[in-house]
Amino acid sequence: MKKVLLVNCNTEKAPYPVPPLGLCLLAASLEGTWEVSIYDCMFDEGAGLVDRVLQFNPDYIGFSIRNIDNTTPDSVYYVDDQISGIIRPVQDISPAVIILGGSGFSIFPEELMQLTQADYGIIGEAESTLHHLLALLDKGEEVFPSLVVLVGNSKIRGNTRGSYHKGLFSGRFSEIDLKIDFSPYRERGAYSVQSKRGCSHGCIYCTYPLLEGTIFRTRKPSDIVEEIEQAFDRVGDVMFEFVDSTFNDPKGHAEEICREIIRRKLRVRLRTMGINPRNSNESLFELMMEAGFVQIDATPDTASARLLANLGKGFDLPEVQQMATTIKKFNLPTMWFFLFGSPGENEDTFNETLDFIDTYINPEDLVYMASGLRVYPNTPLEKTALQEKLIKPGQSLLYPPVFYFSDGISRERLSVLIKEASSERMNCIYSTETRPPAEMMLEAHKLRAEKQIREPMFRTLLRIRKEWKEKGLV
Ligand code: B12
C-alpha cells in the first residue's frame, strides 16, 4: 500500500487554534486504499516534520494551505513562513509527489503553484478529486484531463473550477480526535463540524461561493448529530462549532439539526459562525438554546440599509433589527462583526451603524469593528476595484493584499471614528486590537477557574475590561 502524508501548514493560534477539519475528512476518504498519516504543524510550527517524513517515507505529501493573511489592513502574511519553514524543507529531502490544496490555496492557486513548484494542486473540496488523482498516479497513468488539477509550472490542465460543486459531498465523519492529537485544541479551541457546503449568497467581497460552490448541499441532520454524539462520547465536554458559511441556510435545516440534538438528549455545548437574519426567527433561537448553543456570531457587516444592499448581503435592515432583538431577548452570547469602508460608506452610514449598535445590541455582547475590505480574485468587489482603478488588470492580489475603502470617507477619518466609538463603548473593539493584553487573559482564566464560570470567554474579558476602565487601569 502506498503512503500519503497530509500536512497542516496552519500555525495561527488567534483567535484560537482551529483543528484541520479538511485534512481529517481527506484522510477519511483515502484510508483503506492508502496508508495515511496527518502531521499537524499547529503547535510545533513544523519542527518535527522533516524527521516524520524521513521515518514514514511517504509516496505522496499533501500540504494544506488554509490561511494567506489575516485579512486586516495591518496584515499578518502567512505564506512565506509556510513555504520556507514547512514546505521547502520537505521538498529538499523527499522525492515524494507534492500536492497542494486548502482554502487559501484555492483562492490563489496559480501564484502558490509558482511559488512552491509543487507537482499538483487541487482547487476546492478534494475528497473525491484527491482519491482520483492518487489512483491515477499509482497506476502511472496520465492525469485525467477533466480533473481540477494544476500541473507543475502553474499550467492549468482541465481546470473545471466550480463545476465539481454540484453533487453531495461524501459526508464521512472527520473523527478529528482519532486522526490528530486533539488535546491542545480542547482548552481554547473547538471541535469543528460541517453541516453543509456551499453558499448561495452573493456578498460582493466573499470567497465562500468560490470555495464551496453556490448551491447549499446539506448533510442529513441525523448524520451530523450522530457525528457529534460519537465525538462527544470520545472527547467529552468540548465546544462543538459549526463551520458552515451560514448555519441557518437553507431554511429549516438548522431547525432539523437542533431538533435531532434535542431528541437524542445530548448535553453538548455548541457555537456557530454566521446566522442569516433572513431565515432567523424566535422559534429558531428557542430551538438553538434548547439544543445547547452557548455562543453565536452575527456578521451583518453594516446596519445601513443602503450599504446592506451595496454589499449584496441578501437581507435587509428590518431583518437585522429583528434578529438583534431576538438575540437580546434570549440573552444568547453573540460576537457581532461590522466592516466599515464598503462601497458607499460615509460618515452618515457609519453613524447609522453606531445607532444600531447602541439601540439593538446587548452591551454584554462583543462588537468587533473592522475597516477595509480585502479584495479577492473572481469576486464582484474585484470588478469594482478594477473599474475604480484601485487595481490593474492582471494584478495578483496575493501580496501585497489590496483593501477597498469607500471614497465617501477617508481611511484615516474612519480609523479615528472607530477608535472614538470603541473607546466610548465598553463592548466595542477595534480590529487592530487583535489580542487582549496578557494580564487581562490571566485575570480572566483565574476568575473563570475560581468561580467556575462557563460563559463565553469574551464576556468575561469584557467584564474585566469594563472594571479596569472604570478604575483607570486601561
Ligand atoms: C469556519 C471558518 C473560520 C472559523 C474556524 C472555526 C473552526 N472551528 O474551525 C473562525 C471564525 C475561527 C475562523 C478564523 C479565521 N479565519 Co476563517 N474560515 C472559516 C471558513 C468559513 C470555513 C473553514 C472550514 O472549516 N471549512 C470546512 C473544511 C472541511 O474545508 P477545508 O478546510 O477548506 O478543506 C477542504 C478543501 O480546502 C480541501 N483541502 C484542504 N486541505 C487540503 C490539502 C490538500 C493536499 C488537498 C489536495 C486539498 C485540501 O479539501 C478539504 C475537504 O474537501 C473559511 C471559508 C470557507 N468557506 O472555506 C474561512 C477561511 C478559511 N478563514 C480565513 C481567515 C483569513 C481566517 C482568520 C485568519 C481570520 C482572522 N483575521 O482572524 C482566522 C484564522 C484562524 C486560525 N487559527 O487559523 C480565510 C483564509 C484565506 C485567507 N484570506 O487568508 C477563509 C478562506 C475565508 C476568507 N476570507 O476567504 N475561520
Coordinates of all heavy atoms in Angstrom, one line a residue, residues 9 150 159 161 163 177 291 304 395-396 437 451 463:
C9 N -0.4 23.1 7.4 CA 0.6 24.2 7.5 C 0.2 25.3 8.4 O 0.9 26.3 8.6 CB 0.9 24.7 6.1 SG 1.5 23.5 4.9
L150 N -3.9 21.4 -11.0 CA -2.9 22.2 -11.6 C -1.7 21.4 -11.7 O -1.3 20.8 -10.8 CB -2.6 23.4 -10.8 CG -3.8 24.4 -10.5 CD1 -3.4 25.4 -9.5 CD2 -4.2 25.1 -11.8
N159 N -9.0 22.6 -16.1 CA -9.5 23.4 -14.9 C -11.0 23.6 -15.1 O -11.5 24.3 -15.9 CB -8.8 24.8 -14.9 CG -9.4 25.6 -13.7 OD1 -10.1 25.1 -12.9 ND2 -9.0 26.8 -13.7
R161 N -12.9 24.6 -12.6 CA -13.2 25.3 -11.3 C -14.7 25.5 -11.2 O -15.4 26.1 -12.0 CB -12.5 26.7 -11.4 CG -12.3 27.4 -10.1 CD -11.9 28.8 -10.3 NE -10.5 28.9 -10.8 CZ -9.6 29.6 -10.2 NH1 -9.8 30.2 -9.0 NH2 -8.4 29.6 -10.7
S163 N -17.2 23.5 -11.3 CA -18.2 22.5 -11.8 C -18.3 21.3 -10.9 O -19.3 20.5 -11.1 CB -17.8 22.1 -13.2 OG -16.6 21.4 -13.2
D177 N -10.4 13.8 16.5 CA -9.6 13.4 17.7 C -8.9 12.0 17.5 O -8.0 11.7 18.3 CB -10.6 13.3 18.9 CG -11.8 12.4 18.6 OD1 -12.5 12.7 17.7 OD2 -11.9 11.3 19.2
A291 N -31.0 23.2 22.2 CA -30.1 22.2 21.7 C -28.7 22.4 22.4 O -27.9 21.4 22.5 CB -29.9 22.4 20.2
S304 N -26.5 50.0 7.8 CA -27.1 51.0 6.9 C -27.8 50.2 5.9 O -27.3 49.3 5.2 CB -25.9 51.8 6.3 OG -26.3 52.1 5.0
Q395 N -3.4 42.1 -12.2 CA -2.6 42.2 -11.0 C -2.9 41.1 -10.0 O -4.0 40.8 -9.7 CB -3.0 43.6 -10.3 CG -2.3 43.8 -9.0 CD -2.7 45.2 -8.4 OE1 -3.1 46.1 -9.1 NE2 -2.6 45.3 -7.1
S396 N -1.8 40.5 -9.4 CA -2.0 39.5 -8.4 C -2.5 40.1 -7.1 O -2.0 41.1 -6.7 CB -0.7 38.7 -8.2 OG -0.9 37.9 -7.0
P437 N -4.7 42.1 26.3 CA -3.4 42.1 27.0 C -3.2 40.8 27.8 O -4.2 40.3 28.4 CB -3.5 43.3 27.9 CG -4.6 44.1 27.5 CD -5.5 43.2 26.7
K451 N -14.5 30.9 40.0 CA -15.9 31.0 40.1 C -16.7 30.0 39.2 O -17.9 30.0 39.1 CB -16.4 32.4 39.8 CG -15.8 33.4 40.7 CD -16.6 34.7 40.8 CE -16.1 35.6 41.9 NZ -16.4 37.0 41.7
R463 N -16.1 42.0 30.8 CA -16.4 42.5 32.2 C -15.1 43.0 32.8 O -15.1 44.1 33.5 CB -17.0 41.3 33.0 CG -17.9 41.9 34.0 CD -19.1 41.0 34.5 NE -19.4 39.9 33.7 CZ -18.9 38.7 33.9 NH1 -18.0 38.4 34.8 NH2 -19.3 37.7 33.1

